[in-house]
Amino acid sequence: MADIPADLTWIRAAPESEEGPGPWIEIAFGPDALVYLRETGDPTNIVTTTQAKWDAFTKGVIAGEFDHFAELDDARDTGPPD
């Protein structure tokens, strides 16, 4: 595993109206075109990806390629039909 730079600037991905500890995902852009991701509840567990993969992921989000995951979350939140 690559060393994690100590001077990363973390950006919290949370709704603007939300305050508190989350749990939220935080993103940092580092040297060598690497992107780091972590959860506020476990900040020492850091996932690293490349800028190219991050760009492809964010384009997919914008294009709706992951909407079916949100639909699954909605179904879990409401529970089974009565």
Side-chain angles (χ1 to χ4, degrees):
M1 183 170 93
D3 291 329
I4 308 299
D7 61 345
L8 293 172
T9 300
W10 293 95
I11 304 164
R12 186 166 293 176
E16 290 182 20
S17 62
E18 294 292 331
E19 294 183 20
W24 310 114
I25 299 297
E26 294 180 316
I27 305 149
F29 298 92
D32 301 322
L34 293 177
V35 179
Y36 301 88
L37 300 110
R38 68 182 184 184
E39 183 181 349
T40 55
D42 187 10
T44 60
N45 187 11
I46 298 172
V47 176
T48 305
T49 191
T50 65
Q51 183 71 51
K53 289 179 182 178
W54 178 253
D55 291 345
F57 171 73
T58 57
K59 287 177 183 177
V61 169
I62 292 168
E65 294 177 15
F66 302 99
D67 288 357
H68 61 285
F69 290 114
E71 292 165 4
L72 290 175
D73 282 344
D74 290 344
R76 281 191 290 245
D77 290 343
T78 60
D82 293 331

